[in-house]
Amino acid sequence: MKTKKSSGNIFQDLGFGKEEAANLLIRSKLMIEIGKYIEQEGLTQAEAAKRFGVKQPRISDLVRGKVELFTVDGLIAMLSRIGMKVDVRINRSKAA
């Protein structure tokens, strides 16, 4: 079996275009942080929904990894509702 070195973005490795892959990676990282918070706090989906200001099915979609159903803006809003801050760092890509 032939292996290929990762680009550092699993979505790009799966064939998504650079822009879409970058957006998917950001969304997935935000979703992971929300999932960690839910787990660390021992919240049920209903409790998490109340804290994040969304309906329970949204939390279900989030913990099931349905990244296509979320926006960066929406995920940042959810994190801010629980007092978390999102910092953005911009770097020039090596390929640019």
Side-chain angles (χ1 to χ4, degrees):
M1 177 183 230
K2 191 174 184 179
T3 60
K4 181 181 174 185
K5 186 174 179 175
S6 173
S7 69
N9 182 329
I10 185 65
F11 298 103
Q12 191 170 340
D13 295 343
L14 290 171
F16 290 93
K18 283 186 176 188
E19 292 172 11
E20 187 175 6
N23 189 281
L24 286 165
L25 185 62
I26 291 167
R27 286 188 275 163
S28 67
K29 287 181 178 185
L30 294 169
M31 290 171 70
I32 288 167
E33 290 305 313
I34 292 170
K36 283 181 188 176
Y37 175 86
I38 292 168
E39 188 175 318
Q40 289 169 350
E41 294 291 314
L43 301 175
T44 65
Q45 288 187 6
E47 292 167 334
K50 285 181 185 177
R51 287 200 193 174
F52 288 106
V54 297
K55 304 273 186 198
Q56 182 275 327
R58 291 295 282 163
I59 299 298
S60 177
D61 289 338
L62 187 136
V63 297
R64 292 168 62 212
K66 295 193 173 192
V67 68
E68 71 278 4
L69 299 179
F70 293 88
T71 64
V72 171
D73 290 350
L75 292 165
I76 290 172
M78 289 174 69
L79 286 163
S80 70
R81 286 187 189 109
I82 58 164
M84 295 188 93
K85 179 182 171 191
V86 176
D87 289 322
V88 177
R89 189 177 50 197
I90 300 170
N91 298 310
R92 186 174 302 272
S93 82
K94 294 174 186 168

